[in-house]
Amino acid sequence: MYMEKQMISTTSYSHPEIEEHITNLGHELKDFAQLQGKEDAMKEHDLTRSLFITKVKDPIRSKVQMAIDFIRNILLPTSLVFSAAEIEQTAKVSMQVKNNEINDKFQLVASLKRKLNAISIDPIKVRYGKWLTLVAIIVGLGDAALAYISFRHGAYPVAMALISALAVGAVIAISHLFYAGWIKKAEAGRKRMIRIAIILVSAFLFFACVGNLRASASNQTVNIALDGNTVSAASTSHLNGWAIALISFALFTAVFFLSLLLWRTKKERMDEQEHAKVLAEIQQHKAEIKTLQNEIAGIRENANKQKEVARKIFDYAVSSIRKAKSIGANAVILYKQTYARFHNDIVPAFFDEPIGFEYDESFQFPKIQKPEEV
């Protein structure tokens, strides 16, 4: 009946129809109390309790009850009081579902952490192992470039100079992919030391041979002198082949020992992959837990906001009903005062009794839950 006229302000919490209704009730009961009090006082017979109840209290109580019903019909549906319990229950159910998910994920994270702790990895290899191949390639390409220049100075064809230089670079850059695993397969101790010695000796002999070839090629200087039909060539030594060999061998040795330090067996690589996978799962579940916690906080906040709005309008309803009841009580008091004034200050003894109005105003607002109660 009144729903289409609702114009509620949640800032002032005032409803025009209710304010008008309460104001009219006050005027109406004031006029009624004064007129009825004067009329009853002017009569010759004394006022009895039953007449007082029938002619004064019952009409006043009826008017106030009608005002209370009007207030409830207007405000309670608007204030969502009837659905506040449903809002709370829905929020509780949603939060409980998400709390269950959080608990499941906490248990899963604990299980994954135990699994993570059971995986043995070398943190140094994990951190620096991925750079081994890159460093080896850079060092190998550097020495290969110098070798290519040396071979080209010795008038090597481009293809031969390139192949020879790449062979030098490959020994430094990628040979560790083969010898490191072979050495690691040997038992620590004598067998492993023998394999290390074999690799180092072989490498030294290789670089000694190649180093002298590079020096010879680089030092070859061709002087052409035209003396009739004669062409002469002379060479002057500038570079030491053993020095070049030692430099290349030193670069090889650096990569060699770095590879032995950072080389990972197939099992170690698999363990690292499993470790990274489990760690990623843990991080993912932690992020999901954080998201769920934020969602729970959002559900709680949203439900409380809805209930707080309803609470404010509900409080306005309670206040309005209180005003209506106060108007009724004041009307009875005004009647008694008017009656006493026009009846020579002689009033019935029952005027001193409590007014004792009882109204049907039964409604309860659900409690807004605090965060710690969830």
Side-chain angles (χ1 to χ4, degrees), residues 150-341:
S150 299
F151 290 131
R152 286 295 292 152
H153 282 172
Y156 278 57
V158 173
M160 184 176 294
L162 183 61
I163 292 172
S164 300
L166 289 178
V168 174
V171 171
I172 297 175
I174 63 175
S175 62
H176 67 88
L177 298 175
F178 305 98
Y179 65 69
W182 179 64
I183 292 173
K184 287 288 187 177
K185 288 179 181 179
E187 296 179 3
R190 185 177 179 181
K191 288 185 178 180
R192 185 170 295 184
M193 294 303 295
I194 291 174
R195 293 189 180 187
I196 291 174
I198 291 173
I199 296 297
L200 290 177
V201 169
S202 300
F204 181 78
L205 294 176
F206 171 79
F207 286 116
C209 178
V210 173
N212 283 283
L213 286 176
R214 288 170 60 182
S216 175
S218 181
N219 292 333
Q220 184 68 35
T221 303
V222 177
N223 296 318
I224 301 176
L226 295 178
D227 182 10
N229 295 323
T230 303
V231 177
S232 64
S235 74
T236 304
S237 179
H238 297 287
L239 296 179
N240 188 305
W242 289 105
I244 296 175
L246 288 174
I247 292 173
S248 297
F249 181 71
L251 294 176
F252 172 85
T253 304
V255 174
F256 175 81
F257 284 107
L258 184 64
S259 67
L260 292 183
L261 176 64
L262 300 179
W263 177 263
R264 293 165 292 174
T265 64
K266 181 178 180 180
K267 181 179 183 306
E268 287 176 324
R269 290 194 295 272
M270 292 179 63
D271 286 344
E272 287 178 11
Q273 292 175 359
E274 183 66 15
H275 187 277
K277 178 182 177 182
V278 174
L279 187 60
E281 289 182 16
I282 291 174
Q283 296 302 325
Q284 178 183 348
H285 289 308
K286 284 184 175 181
E288 291 172 354
I289 288 172
K290 183 65 176 177
T291 300
L292 288 169
Q293 290 173 336
N294 291 336
E295 289 176 358
I296 288 175
I299 292 172
R300 182 191 300 117
E301 182 180 1
N302 184 58
N304 282 343
K305 281 183 178 178
Q306 292 183 56
K307 291 171 65 178
E308 283 172 4
V309 171
R311 174 84 256 182
K312 291 173 182 177
I313 304 174
F314 174 87
D315 289 342
Y316 174 72
V318 173
S319 175
S320 299
I321 291 173
R322 189 181 298 115
K323 288 180 182 178
K325 291 167 62 178
S326 177
I327 289 172
N330 290 334
V332 175
I333 294 173
L334 180 59
Y335 171 87
K336 292 178 180 179
Q337 292 172 345
T338 303
Y339 183 90
R341 186 166 62 254

Side-chain angles (χ1 to χ4, degrees), residues 5 23 48 72 77 101 143 181 203 229 260 291 324 335 364 369:
K5 298 181 180 180
T23 300
T48 63
R72 291 195 301 175
E101 290 185 48
D143 200 36
N229 295 323
L260 292 183
T291 300
Y335 171 87
Q364 295 294 329
Q369 209 166 26

Side-chain angles (χ1 to χ4, degrees), residues 7 17 23 29-30 57 86 91 115 138 149 153 160-161 169 186 203 253 268 270 304 308 334 355 366:
M7 297 289 292
E17 285 187 82
T23 300
L29 291 186
K30 179 181 179 181
K57 293 186 67 175
E86 182 179 353
K115 183 177 180 180
I138 292 174
I149 295 172
H153 282 172
M160 184 176 294
T253 304
E268 287 176 324
M270 292 179 63
N304 282 343
E308 283 172 4
L334 180 59
I355 296 174

Side-chain angles (χ1 to χ4, degrees), residues 48 54 98 104-105 120 146 151 190 235 301 313 323 333 343 349 358 367 370:
T48 63
T54 303
K98 294 187 181 298
D104 291 342
K105 290 187 180 297
S120 179
L146 295 176
F151 290 131
R190 185 177 179 181
S235 74
E301 182 180 1
I313 304 174
K323 288 180 182 178
I333 294 173
H343 201 67
E358 292 184 3
K367 179 183 177 184
K370 296 180 180 179

